[in-house]
Amino acid sequence: MEVGQLQRSFVEYMASLFREGFLDAQFSQLQQLQDDSNPDFVVEVVSLFFEDSERLLNDLTMALDQPNVEFKQVDAHVHQLKGSSSSVGAQRVKNCCVPFRICCEEQNTEACLRCLQQIKQEYLLVKNKLQTLFELEQQIVASGGAIPMVQ
Amino acid sequence: MEGQVSRMVTKGLLTHLGCDVTTVGSRDECLRVVTQEHKVVFMDVSMPGIHCYEVAVVIHERFRKHHGRPLIVALTGNTDRVTKENCMRVGMDGVILKPVSVDKMRSVLSELLEHGVVLES
């Protein structure tokens, strides 16, 4: 695919991520922080978000699998996931954390499990979307083009 | 002091604005590294178990006899009245809502360095 087409695909894809609510304005803020002195900032932060999220989702799965669920611990994990998803602009993941924390407060294991399922789905979706976005970036750079700025 | 991802983003933000940044992941580490060389300490007060309010109290005490101390600013995911009151009670110099935009942080730093305080409106 020629570089102009790749760039157009990138712009449209990025726009769709915002339009469909996968990303919010905070992601644009991260892009502003990427510069010559920190050229891989977005990929590095998002990679850390992936690692952190997978660890937290694993911890949540184990915590909710206990015979006596420690809801304070579950809430602490959800709180952390809310913070990290908010920091990278992963809006849908962040939004899933709100009802999850309410379920923790109500100490409702079944509801928490449903929330966990929902968060896992949203996380996998946004992970897939972001990986596709980064692959598009790599293709543009490999074709000798510049990554378009998307407002 | 924040979660890893938040910490990385805040560090990136402050570095982008020209600051020299030290990051820490715990109360003990913070108290071990903080010196008068640090102009501002940003801490996430919504992290459970981090005892941020204690850190603020210790910083005040440690630098009481010096000619200055690092300013202390709380980063929080919610700006409810209780959080703000707790922050003010332990002598924090500001409370700001996360996530912080580039423009917002630029304005916060400017206010802090000029007036020594910032409050989220």
Side-chain angles (χ1 to χ4, degrees), chain B residues 9-49:
Chain B
V9 172
T10 305
K11 180 179 180 177
L13 176 53
L14 291 167
T15 304
H16 180 77
L17 292 171
C19 300
D20 192 6
V21 182
T22 306
T23 58
V24 295
S26 71
R27 172 194 65 176
D28 290 346
E29 206 182 345
C30 177
L31 293 175
R32 198 163 47 245
V33 306
V34 72
T35 70
Q36 269 187 294
E37 299 286 316
H38 297 101
K39 295 279 184 267
V40 187
V41 174
F42 285 97
M43 60 176 78
D44 186 340
V45 300
S46 51
M47 291 295 293

Side-chain angles (χ1 to χ4, degrees), chain B residues 14 17 19 40 42 105-114:
Chain B
L14 291 167
L17 292 171
C19 300
V40 187
F42 285 97
M105 186 58 91
R106 187 181 286 119
S107 151
V108 164
L109 289 174
S110 181
E111 256 188 88
L112 279 173
L113 297 175
E114 194 175 333

Side-chain angles (χ1 to χ4, degrees), chain A residues 23 43 68 92 97 137:
Chain A
L23 300 177
V43 167
N68 294 308
R92 283 195 189 180
C97 294
E137 282 187 350

Side-chain angles (χ1 to χ4, degrees), chain A residues 2-12 140 144-148:
Chain A
E2 59 97 22
V3 69
Q5 206 170 336
L6 282 169
Q7 287 167 329
R8 282 188 294 276
S9 297
F10 175 86
V11 169
E12 175 46 39
I140 291 169
I147 311 295

Side-chain angles (χ1 to χ4, degrees), chain A:
Chain A
M1 203 185 288
E2 59 97 22
V3 69
Q5 206 170 336
L6 282 169
Q7 287 167 329
R8 282 188 294 276
S9 297
F10 175 86
V11 169
E12 175 46 39
Y13 192 69
M14 176 85 90
S16 74
L17 296 186
F18 285 99
R19 195 169 54 239
E20 291 166 25
F22 288 103
L23 300 177
D24 62 25
Q26 178 60 18
F27 189 80
S28 302
Q29 292 295 314
L30 292 191
Q31 291 176 309
Q32 284 191 49
L33 303 183
Q34 185 158 297
D35 54 29
D36 290 340
S37 64
N38 214 342
D40 300 316
F41 181 71
V42 177
V43 167
E44 286 173 2
V45 171
V46 170
S47 299
L48 184 60
F49 167 67
F50 290 161
E51 276 175 43
D52 201 51
S53 300
E54 280 162 35
R55 177 183 57 81
L56 285 167
L57 290 172
N58 206 44
D59 289 346
L60 279 165
T61 305
M62 290 201 303
L64 286 170
D65 198 34
Q66 301 303 308
N68 294 308
V69 174
E70 290 278 352
F71 285 100
K72 277 193 175 161
Q73 186 60 63
V74 175
D75 182 66
H77 292 320
V78 178
H79 175 79
Q80 201 166 336
L81 186 56
K82 182 167 179 263
S84 60
S85 57
S86 171
S87 293
V88 301
Q91 184 174 235
R92 283 195 189 180
V93 174
K94 177 191 73 173
N95 288 345
C96 284
C97 294
V98 177
F100 201 155
R101 294 195 75 189
I102 294 172
C103 295
C104 289
E105 212 173 315
E106 293 170 354
Q107 303 200 0
N108 186 334
T109 305
E110 286 308 310
C112 283
L113 285 167
R114 285 194 292 274
C115 288
L116 178 58
Q117 197 52 35
Q118 183 69 27
I119 273 196
K120 280 179 175 178
Q121 280 177 12
E122 290 297 345
Y123 167 71
L124 286 172
L125 278 172
V126 79
K127 182 179 180 183
N128 184 268
K129 299 282 183 185
L130 287 169
Q131 285 176 330
T132 301
L133 187 74
F134 295 147
E135 279 162 21
L136 270 172
E137 282 187 350
Q138 285 174 346
Q139 285 175 36
I140 291 169
V141 169
S143 304
I147 311 295
M149 290 298 292
V150 178
Q151 294 299 324

